[in-house]
Amino acid sequence: MKKKFFKIGLLGLALATGLMATPPADAATIGFDIDWTNSSVAVTKNGRACAAGIDCGVIATLIRNDGAIRVGTGDSEQVDLLTLESIPGFREPNRGAYTISVNLAFSLAQSNGETRNFTTTAIGTLNQRGALSWTTMEPILFNGSEVALSFGGGQGGQGVAQATVTGINVVPLPASALLLGAGVGGLALLRRRKRRTA
C-alpha cells in the first residue's frame, strides 16, 4: 500500500514536471495600457520651447484613447497616440526644425494579474523638408517577456502619430509550477504519514 502511494506521488511529480516543460495550448499574451494622466507631449522649434504652438506653427495633442491592447510573441498592435496640426498663418512647419517630445507612461500586465508601470520618452524630429522621424526605443523586459515600442506617422507635421507595440518574446506563465508544488507537497505528506504508521 505504501509503495502504491509512493508511485502515485512520483507520477504526479513527473506529470507536473512534464507540464512545466510543455507550453500551454493558449498563446501567452501581455497587456499594454497607456496612463494618459501621467503622459505628456511638448513641441520645440530649433531648441526653443513653443507656447502651445502659437509661436511654433505646430501643435501636438495627445489623443487619450481608453482600453488596453494585448500582444503575444510576434504580434503587433497600434494605438493612436497624438495629433499634429499646422497652425494657419504660418508658411509651413518645415521652415524650421521641430522636435516632438512624448513622455509616455504605461503599464504592462501579465495574465496572472501582475502589473508593472513604466515611463519612456520618445523623440520625433520634423526636419526642414517636412519628414518626421522617431527615435528607436530599446526593448522593454518584464518578467522574462520582451516587448518593443515604436512610433510612427504624423508626416509633414500633420495627421496622427501612432505607438506600435510588438511582442518580441512573450513568455508563458509557469502555471504548472503549482502542480509541481502540489506534487512535492503530496510526497511530503506521504512521508509524514509513513512515519506515523511506523
Side-chain angles (χ1 to χ4, degrees):
M1 187 73 166
K2 292 174 187 174
K3 284 183 180 179
K4 187 176 181 182
F5 279 118
F6 186 71
K7 284 179 181 177
I8 291 171
L10 281 178
L11 181 63
L13 182 62
L15 179 63
T17 306
L19 283 172
M20 213 167 136
T22 307
D26 295 333
T29 60
I30 198 162
F32 173 84
D33 192 11
I34 297 176
D35 177 4
W36 296 103
T37 303
N38 293 309
S39 297
S40 60
V41 60
V43 180
T44 58
K45 180 180 179 182
N46 297 325
R48 288 177 38 211
C50 300
I54 295 170
D55 57 351
C56 242
V58 174
I59 292 178
T61 309
L62 291 176
I63 291 177
R64 298 181 182 273
N65 293 314
D66 287 331
I69 60 174
R70 297 200 74 83
V71 294
T73 300
D75 295 337
S76 287
E77 292 287 339
Q78 276 190 346
V79 57
D80 289 341
L81 184 64
L82 57 90
T83 56
L84 290 172
E85 181 184 356
S86 298
I87 304 294
F90 280 80
R91 291 190 177 189
E92 287 295 330
N94 58 14
R95 293 292 180 184
Y98 290 82
T99 300
I100 295 96
S101 178
V102 180
N103 184 42
L104 191 65
F106 61 95
S107 62
L108 294 179
Q110 291 181 322
S111 54
N112 65 349
E114 187 173 348
T115 303
R116 190 176 303 165
N117 297 323
F118 295 86
T119 304
T120 191
T121 301
I123 305 294
T125 304
L126 184 63
N127 68 20
Q128 293 186 356
R129 295 186 178 186
L132 179 60
S133 58
W134 292 89
T135 53
T136 302
M137 314 294 293
E138 289 293 321
I140 303 151
L141 296 175
F142 176 41
N143 283 355
S145 293
E146 197 173 4
V147 178
L149 186 60
S150 60
F151 298 83
Q155 293 302 315
Q158 294 277 1
V160 176
Q162 298 94 12
T164 301
V165 185
T166 303
I168 298 174
N169 181 30
V170 180
V171 178
L173 294 173
S176 54
L178 294 174
L179 289 174
L180 178 61
V184 172
L187 285 175
L189 284 174
L190 284 174
R191 286 190 77 178
R192 206 171 189 190
R193 191 179 239 184
K194 183 180 177 182
R195 284 181 189 164
R196 283 185 186 169
T197 55

